[in-house]
Amino acid sequence: MPDALPDLLRADGVLFDLDGVLTPTAEVHMRAWKHVFDEVFAQWGIEPAYTEADYFDYVDGKKRYDGVASLMQSRNVEVPWGAVDDPPEAETICGIGNRKNAAFAASLRAEGIAPFPGSLALVEALTAAGIPLGVVSSSKNAEEVLGAAGIRDFFRIVVDGVVAEREGLASKPAADMFHAGAVALGVDPQRSVAVEDATSGAASAAAAGFATVVGVDRGAGAEALLAAGATVVVGDLDVLLPASAPSPTPAPASDSDSEETA
């Protein structure tokens, strides 16, 4: 537990990453990536095998195709980029990314999604206090996920993978996406807060000039998040609740919970 937590009620605005910060869709992404990369590595004889560490090192927080390219480069495998409308079976960066997205979308629609209780409680408290909120996510599925989780109306702006592609924004860890989020929300990063669970996202927010970058450790590791640019790391967002806010209601247990994210 950090000694000093930021007071979000004093912020001009708060920009949240989505997967792994607001919703447990990071787990759905992780399973989808593992399914696709296990298949691709087996078919192409790529070694060493794909691991969970690969996800955090090369994929987490990045735009879909950039994540594929980064992982393939880590194995010294050259794959043509292709085009965004490549079919999922295409042996291209875009084809592999589209294959993963199909697996993610099928899982999301079959299982649904709910926000983390602590994250929802914080978002509700900040909304009640009139703090402007936004989402900065590399995922092209952000609008669908926010809608499925029932939390879209809390956020004034969403800068996601669709916006990034349309406006030519570089993938996290570049500053582009968080800078665009601050501009869209109309806030000064020096007086605002960014919340991220990925090292690439923490680096992006720091590069965009956010004086306060809250890292949420959902698996990336506190030390890695701090090294990337987080100014404080927490295990869950409920620790940032204002003293007057009610405690979050624990999520009900589910038989479909998995041990096993963009």
Side-chain angles (χ1 to χ4, degrees):
M1 178 68 63
D3 293 330
L5 293 171
D7 182 359
L8 272 58
L9 294 182
R10 294 180 177 271
D12 281 5
V14 182
L15 289 167
F16 295 86
D17 179 42
L18 175 58
D19 302 317
V21 170
L22 295 173
T23 61
T25 33
E27 299 174 3
V28 185
H29 282 293
M30 288 180 72
R31 291 195 300 270
W33 279 123
K34 177 172 173 51
H35 171 77
V36 169
F37 283 131
D38 281 351
E39 184 179 78
V40 169
F41 279 31
Q43 289 176 348
W44 296 1
I46 298 174
E47 296 288 346
Y50 177 76
T51 67
E52 185 175 282
D54 286 322
Y55 172 78
F56 290 111
D57 289 342
Y58 304 113
V59 178
D60 190 21
K62 296 179 181 177
K63 292 190 289 186
R64 188 187 312 157
Y65 304 137
D66 289 345
V68 176
S70 179
L71 178 64
M72 290 302 181
Q73 289 169 4
S74 78
R75 299 301 197 272
N76 295 314
V77 176
E78 293 187 9
V79 184
W81 190 270
V84 295
D85 57 356
D86 279 355
E89 62 271 15
E91 294 184 347
T92 63
I93 294 295
C94 292
I96 294 170
N98 293 344
R99 195 181 315 176
K100 175 265 171 184
N101 194 56
F104 171 83
S107 179
L108 180 65
R109 290 162 188 162
E111 302 173 14
I113 200 71
F116 288 111
S119 300
L120 177 60
L122 179 61
V123 166
E124 290 176 333
L126 294 176
T127 299
I131 305 298
L133 308 180
V135 169
V136 177
S137 169
S138 295
S139 175
K140 289 185 176 181
N141 301 294
E143 290 284 3
E144 181 179 3
V145 170
L146 288 165
I151 57 175
R152 176 61 183 88
D153 290 346
F154 287 111
F155 303 100
R156 299 187 187 181
I157 62 98
V158 174
V159 175
D160 61 4
V162 176
V163 174
E165 184 174 288
R166 183 177 69 236
E167 299 185 4
L169 304 177
S171 182
K172 301 173 185 179
D176 298 36
M177 295 194 71
F178 269 103
H179 174 74
V183 171
L185 195 59
V187 297
D188 181 351
Q190 281 290 324
R191 298 194 300 270
S192 301
V193 177
V195 187
E196 265 284 356
D197 72 315
T199 56
S200 60
S204 174
F210 280 80
T212 302
V213 181
V214 177
V216 188
D217 185 9
R218 308 281 195 196
E223 291 185 3
L225 287 165
L226 290 169
T231 56
V232 64
V233 176
V234 300
D236 193 273
L237 293 184
D238 58 1
V239 301
L240 299 174
L241 279 169
S244 59
S247 299
T249 301
S254 171
D255 293 336
S256 62
D257 286 348
S258 172
E259 295 178 357
E260 287 211 285
T261 97

